[in-house]
Amino acid sequence: MTTLTRPRFATGAADHIVAAVPALWLVAFFLAPLGFTVVFSFGRNLFGGVELAFTFDNYRTALTGFNGTTLLRTIIFAASASALCLAAAYPVAYFLARHTQRRRALAVVLILVPYFSSFLIRIMALHMLMSRGGFAESVLNALYLHSGPLDVLDTQLAVFIGMVYAYLPIAIVPLFVVLDRIPKPLLEASRDLGASRFKTFVFVTLPLSRPGIATAVLLTAVPMLGEMVIPKLLGGSKGVLMGQAISSQFLQSQNYPLGAAMAVLVLLVIGVIVVLLARLTKGFAEVGQ
Amino acid sequence: MTTTIKTRHPQFAGLSRRTLLALLGAAPATAALSAAFPGAFRAEAATGALNVYSWPDYFSTDNLAAYAKKTGVTPNISTYDSNETLFAKLNSPAGAGFDIVIPSSSWIQQLAAKGLLQELDHSRLNLASLDQDLLNRDYDPGNKYSIPKDWGLLGVVYDPEIVGTIETWEDFFKAFEKSEVSGKIRMSDSGWETIGPQLWIEGKDWNTATSDEIRAAGEKVKALAKHVKSFSGLDPNSVANGSIVLAQTNQGTARAIIGLNPKLKWVVPGPFSELWVDNYAIPKSAPNLDQAYDFLAYQLQPEVQLSETQYIGFPAALAGLEAKLPADTKNADLIFGGKGLDFKKLTSFVVDPATIGTYLQVQTEIQAAAG
């Protein structure tokens, strides 16, 4: 996202060989399957197989009617969940960058540790907390914020809570890194020239943290577009999203071409997101420390 | 972390240890793509090994250990979490080398039609000891390709104080409209288990209904979807504590629920309901045929059938199994679907490429309409 000027090294043959290994890996295990997906998406369906052809029918099916609505719903869902995630992550990252000194490393570790445990276990833990007679119910009842049994599971609200909770750590980290690297003298200059704290934030801090915002959105919105576990475990599998729709075409309906077309469309959406975010950080040269 | 969510095998209709195991399994979406690679996999020659491809945690560990001790052959068990994955694997070069697979009744015909299963030699198996109600059923006449391993039902568990009495699928759908029931209902996430009941109400057979008939019945279910709380696996606690008061489920999960809250009821509604059977089958290219038959003969012994039943919580196919259970088994009758179960009123779903797409598409729409 940011451009760095680095001293140039002369590249020798050895470097090329070293670089060839991961390149081969990527071609074999990433590009080739992706190529198959693209080829399949223009094919015709044989139950559990594909007849190679060149037809746009799958894309027509994937973009119209129910499937089209699902794609749109998924994009809106990922965008809003990602925005919520960002809104929750920004203050935390800001606090970490500005108001922690000695305990900073500890704070970052504490934020990241849950992220290293199994995704499924974390979501199941949330499921237990939010279920009837669970911890959340007793706390809310004790604080008089809610009375009686709590029925938040199997709702859209539970899905949003789960999404924000699951992806928060990876939104905090890039924001923290960027905010931490904004040179103090810039902020001081802004204050010296008479800007209020608020104005300093709006005209100095916020614009300078754009790369962090872009990275945080990318790291959260992309996995959210394909999220399947959270809607299933916390949302009662209602309001189908793209992830479930694609897996159901591949695995249950055995309709590989349509599933492939849907997958390619999601990839295109991700491509658009990346382009938009790249524009957001356009002309951004990192400020020297 | 990616996981795949798919037609829940009926046995996983609870958030059990098994569900978690299934969810933790690696995504088999790659199986679809790897099928496209002309792999250089050669079926291994008979080695005296035994390769079983099965649902997760579907054999009693004690029985497996005893078998290994007795014969010197330790079964290598690999797992799948859906019939679709089993189908995709057997249909690709990666599927060679398995000696025993455990497909559900719904998929036997598809697997056999693709030439992926071999006909069984009945002279090497003791079929006489099995419950005759489970043999020679529509999904595999004459048990040409399959031997029942264990079985389950589609039924309804409910709170009679809130819901009233349920005897038919009509009663089940009528209860949706009640204000104290609405929003506290769980339905299956398998297209045929949600649309099937509506087809039975209309006097149609879910295996011969046309795509148009399936869609029409599905639309009626879709109109009721707004009352449904969840299509995910059923957590027994959620019914026991009243978050859910009416739920489609299998008898194993129902028994767990009624164990927690005895005032709840279980019924297999009329006019028809589902019988699903998980079966032993032998793939066409099984390299270790003798070991496979040897293992099946071991599995069909009465004491093994009994301990398998206790281990997986679903009844094995042995005749007169209920009488063999320990006397202190709680709600033993529920393991076998409750008292007065009539096998003539049970039908097994058979996947048909012509209509399965409709079932699944309408199911997806039903779930979306509930959101």
Side-chain angles (χ1 to χ4, degrees), chain A residues 60-96:
Chain A
R60 202 167 298 127
T61 315
L63 282 169
T64 50
F66 176 79
N67 294 326
T69 324
T70 303
L71 181 62
L72 197 64
R73 198 184 319 115
T74 307
I75 294 169
I76 294 168
F77 176 83
S80 40
S82 180
L84 265 178
C85 216
L86 194 68
Y90 203 100
V92 177
Y94 189 86
F95 178 83
L96 279 182

Side-chain angles (χ1 to χ4, degrees), chain A residues 135-147 150:
Chain A
F135 183 72
E137 183 182 304
S138 0
V139 168
L140 289 175
N141 274 312
L143 296 172
Y144 295 103
L145 290 171
H146 180 86
S147 69
L150 181 72

